[in-house]
Amino acid sequence: MDGKPLPNLSSVALVEREEAPCAVEARDLRFSYGRKEVLRGISFTIGAGEVFAFLGPNASGKTTLFKILSTLLPAPQGSLTILGYDVARSSATLRRSLGVVFQNSAVDTKLSVVENLRYHGNLYGLWGVELRERIKVMLDLLGLSESADARVETLSGGYRRRVELAKALLHEPAILILDEPSSGLDPEARRDFFNYLLRLRASKSVTVVLTTHDMEEAERCDRVGVLHQGQLVAVGTAGDLKRSVGGDVVVIKAQRPEMLQMKLQQRFGLHVAIVDGRLRIEAPKGHLLVAEIVEAFGSEVESISFGRPTLEDVFTHLTGQRFSASSDDDWSL
Amino acid sequence: MIRTVVLQVWSLWWREMKRFWRQPSRVVGAVLQPIVFWLLLGMGLNGSFRPPGAFPTMTYMEYFYPGVVLLVLLFTAIFSTISTIEDRRQGFLQGVLVAPISPLVIVLGQCLGSTTLALLEGAVFLLLAGTAGIKLNLVAALSTLGVMAIIGMGLSGLGLTIAWRMESTQGFHAIMNLILIPSWLLSGAFFPVAGVPSWFRWIMQGNPLTYDMGLLRSALYMGSSKMVSASSGPENITVSIIVAAIFTLFAFACAVTMARREASGVRA
């Protein structure tokens, strides 16, 4: 283990960790704001060095989960260990090994990039030559060297997010936790940011846990956990999840969807769902099915399309709802 | 361990300083506003002022001067409070809360920063003591600075207690106008206790700022013959010191309690 601050585990715990190198282990997490149950029994494990995304629409509970993982909310019901620490008991020690990037900017815009990093380093007990060197490494790694002395308020959104990242990684955490890291960034800055993230993972062997509602971002992670109304409905690689849908996805727009749904079910014996006013069929050979449907019911079809399943289709497959159509009432606070 | 705490306090303190100097309007406002206050009210009321019995010669400019020193301290505390509320609103505070730092240390750093600024501004204002007719000797100047530090810590603690509970600066303005400014008005800063109806006197005597005010007056006249009776209130110096110290400790403890609640996520 290359000199990164490892938790002081007892030898027994260390053996357990080596058998199953697990960065985060959650069993049956539950959390409520008052009477509103926001997390309803979530279990998962995240391996050391993994890049893991929690994908979910608003109000799916992902921000609450982020806050619990980053020790901002009190330990919930159920058990949660991070790096072998029980979060309920040792959050102070644990915090040293966590790097947290918030959705809202947590840098001081009146300070320069270096001043922000120095401030943050001091809070984690870093100073002097060591701190100066780490700041330099971070600036190089994140392409910030030239803006080192610029005040953060003069930087663009993409740069600011990189400053956040530099700040969160300065004390060399074993786990990096990010809440919607790409929100508010344009597509280019988004890709850019993610490339930096992957590069950091490679060079610092840090475990990355992030929340997102961006499909493209989720696809680039090692594994994805799909959150829906406070429950984890699926966990796996993006590829596995898509394969679970079962073939292709055919979507039909029709003037009278219910009528066509009945006819299609009678004729082909398929399960036909109506999602957001459109007919949706999952079938192994989509292109053949499209031809057959058009042949038989062409006059009732306004438009028809088929494609390989995306993560959005996975979500619909699992929940029966469209991803973006989820309500905006924000449980996450 | 201790080194880390010192480092943490230092970095919180340093940020307060940096932010202050980077907002020129704040620097100028903090010094000029009380001076304008003092000149306008002082000159306006100078004619109609009847000095407290012991000092038939005291002008209102002189009487009001220590009151303005207290106002300088109060304004600084208010500014720090507002910047803490802003920190939370913008998300900066979250980054501090996930660090391995105790809420006590956070509040200590914030209070020391705010108190340092209060002392700096207070010191600038002390340069004008002569024009008020107060001859500051070295002992008096040093004890005044010491007293200002105690009061500054207390007022910062009070401000932070409010700030850690506040969602918006608007809410804070209401508190400021309803509680902080009236407390200052009723501390003997603006008019002496002597000569007010007795029920009014009780209110003033129950106001912790009255004792801060008395202590400040005593310190300004330290070593001069006016010293003993310079304090406007009924209190003597010992009582003032005890009450002021208790108030400061209490306000600080309240701020730590509020920060602790926020840090443990209870508020969420």
Side-chain angles (χ1 to χ4, degrees):
Chain A
M1 307 252 158
D2 45 21
K4 80 185 160 201
L6 270 178
N8 299 317
L9 297 166
S10 71
S11 54
V12 179
L14 195 62
V15 172
E16 278 175 15
R17 263 196 68 196
E18 277 174 2
E19 279 171 359
C22 182
V24 183
E25 189 169 11
R27 271 197 218 112
D28 199 30
L29 289 187
R30 287 167 190 280
F31 192 87
S32 310
Y33 288 113
R35 295 169 109 191
K36 210 172 207 175
E37 203 172 25
V38 187
L39 295 182
R40 302 190 289 175
I42 289 183
S43 304
F44 58 89
T45 56
I46 299 173
E50 206 174 0
V51 177
F52 191 98
F54 285 104
L55 173 70
N58 290 338
S60 59
K62 60 186 189 311
T63 299
T64 303
L65 189 57
F66 163 81
K67 285 189 173 174
I68 289 170
L69 290 174
S70 60
T71 73
L72 268 181
L73 280 177
Q77 285 176 292
S79 86
L80 175 63
T81 46
I82 302 182
L83 301 165
Y85 287 113
D86 182 351
V87 171
R89 267 177 280 154
S90 53
S91 66
T93 346
L94 172 62
R95 284 178 176 178
R96 255 171 240 289
S97 342
L98 296 184
V100 184
V101 177
F102 298 93
Q103 194 176 337
N104 302 333
S105 159
V107 291
D108 187 336
T109 52
K110 293 264 177 258
L111 300 183
S112 76
V113 174
V114 167
E115 284 166 343
N116 265 297
L117 294 181
R118 210 182 294 141
Y119 175 84
H120 182 81
N122 286 160
L123 286 190
Y124 282 76
L126 299 169
W127 66 304
V129 182
E130 191 193 10
L131 177 58
R132 228 174 299 144
E133 275 169 8
R134 285 201 195 186
I135 289 177
K136 196 177 168 304
V137 170
M138 273 305 145
L139 293 176
D140 285 345
L141 203 58
L142 287 162
L144 289 166
S145 298
E146 277 170 26
S147 0
D149 293 314
R151 280 198 209 171
V152 173
E153 61 190 350
T154 64
L155 300 177
S156 71
Y159 268 81
R160 284 189 198 192
R161 211 37 77 84
R162 264 142 69 186
V163 178
E164 301 271 353
L165 195 53
K167 186 178 127 162
L169 284 164
L170 192 64
H171 58 283
E172 305 200 324
I175 301 189
L176 183 64
I177 305 171
L178 309 96
D179 190 20
E180 306 257 355
S182 59
S183 71
L185 295 185
D186 58 70
E188 199 183 331
R190 210 174 265 207
R191 261 191 299 279
D192 207 38
F193 180 80
F194 212 84
N195 288 338
Y196 277 114
L197 207 58
L198 294 180
R199 197 191 302 173
L200 286 167
R201 194 262 298 256
S203 70
K204 300 267 171 198
S205 67
V206 61
T207 306
V208 179
V209 182
L210 57 92
T211 67
T212 184
H213 61 247
D214 184 87
M215 303 289 164
E216 207 181 311
E217 190 167 77
E219 295 217 12
R220 300 185 66 181
C221 298
D222 296 334
R223 282 199 304 151
V224 182
V226 182
L227 278 170
H228 176 61
Q229 295 178 353
Q231 286 177 313
L232 201 55
V233 289
V235 182
T237 65
D240 285 346
L241 291 177
K242 288 183 201 166
R243 273 189 287 281
S244 73
V245 172
D248 301 325
V249 177
V250 177
V251 177
I252 306 164
K253 195 174 165 201
Q255 269 175 344
R256 282 181 294 176
E258 286 81 10
M259 183 91 95
L260 188 57
Q261 178 188 36
M262 227 168 60
K263 289 183 180 169
L264 285 171
Q265 275 168 342
Q266 278 171 359
R267 171 80 180 252
F268 299 104
L270 290 165
H271 174 69
V272 181
I274 298 184
V275 179
D276 229 29
R278 286 165 198 233
L279 297 171
R280 191 173 176 285
I281 307 164
E282 290 163 10
K285 289 189 175 149
H287 59 291
L288 297 177
L289 185 64
V290 169
E292 284 179 54
I293 292 173
V294 174
E295 187 115 332
F297 305 108
S299 58
E300 291 167 60
V301 172
E302 274 183 31
S303 76
I304 186 164
S305 68
F306 95 102
R308 308 250 170 260
T310 62
L311 280 180
E312 203 162 341
D313 294 316
V314 173
F315 186 84
T316 309
H317 173 76
L318 291 166
T319 65
Q321 292 177 11
R322 262 190 66 194
F323 188 83
S324 50
S326 275
S327 79
D328 243 20
D329 105 350
D330 203 344
W331 294 10
S332 51
L333 296 183
Chain B
M1 175 63 200
I2 287 180
R3 200 192 68 190
T4 305
V5 168
V6 171
L7 210 53
Q8 290 173 334
V9 170
W10 188 81
S11 83
L12 287 155
W13 177 87
W14 170 87
R15 175 170 172 262
E16 295 287 327
M17 299 301 118
K18 263 272 151 62
R19 280 179 69 85
F20 180 75
W21 291 117
R22 296 224 168 132
Q23 291 163 286
S25 60
R26 207 177 138 185
V27 180
V28 174
V31 177
L32 276 189
Q33 193 171 10
I35 293 181
V36 169
F37 236 75
W38 177 54
L39 289 178
L40 293 184
L41 283 171
M43 293 187 332
L45 293 170
N46 223 1
S48 50
F49 177 68
R50 266 188 302 144
F55 298 104
T57 58
M58 188 183 263
T59 65
Y60 189 67
M61 291 295 275
E62 180 176 355
Y63 178 82
F64 190 35
Y65 179 83
V68 177
V69 176
L70 186 62
L71 189 64
V72 171
L73 301 178
L74 186 65
F75 273 164
T76 321
I78 287 174
F79 268 124
S80 305
T81 303
I82 290 174
S83 85
T84 301
I85 297 173
E86 288 292 303
D87 276 355
R88 189 178 47 239
R89 217 175 47 79
Q90 288 164 2
F92 182 82
L93 209 53
Q94 288 189 309
V96 179
L97 287 174
V98 293
I101 183 170
S102 134
L104 177 92
V105 177
I106 299 180
V107 172
L108 187 62
Q110 288 177 323
C111 274
L112 285 178
S114 156
T115 304
T116 309
L117 296 176
L119 278 180
L120 285 174
E121 288 162 26
V124 171
F125 191 67
L126 279 189
L127 296 176
L128 296 175
T131 58
I134 300 174
K135 291 181 194 64
L136 271 185
N137 56 44
L138 188 65
V139 181
L142 289 179
S143 37
T144 302
L145 288 175
V147 167
M148 278 163 50
I150 297 174
I151 299 174
M153 282 296 274
L155 292 178
S156 311
L158 180 67
L160 288 171
T161 304
I162 302 167
W164 282 93
R165 300 192 58 128
M166 281 281 145
E167 292 304 330
S168 68
T169 47
Q170 284 94 326
F172 179 70
H173 283 295
I175 298 252
M176 186 174 85
N177 290 328
L178 272 171
I179 298 176
L180 296 180
I181 299 298
S183 302
W184 172 76
L185 285 172
L186 295 177
S187 68
F190 203 51
F191 48 81
V193 174
V196 302
S198 60
W199 62 272
F200 206 93
R201 182 182 304 214
W202 293 333
I203 296 180
M204 290 175 77
Q205 282 172 5
N207 177 8
L209 289 195
T210 302
Y211 301 86
D212 284 347
M213 195 60 250
L215 201 55
L216 207 49
R217 284 186 195 279
S218 310
L220 278 166
Y221 292 103
M222 192 71 86
S224 100
S225 56
K226 288 182 183 172
M227 178 187 160
V228 179
S229 43
S231 59
S232 61
E235 69 286 346
N236 62 38
I237 295 184
T238 323
V239 174
S240 291
I241 291 180
I242 292 173
V243 176
I246 290 177
F247 173 67
T248 294
L249 287 175
F250 179 72
F252 185 78
C254 284
V256 173
T257 308
M258 289 306 146
R260 196 158 269 152
R261 270 178 50 177
E262 174 105 7
S264 62
V266 176
R267 255 179 49 99

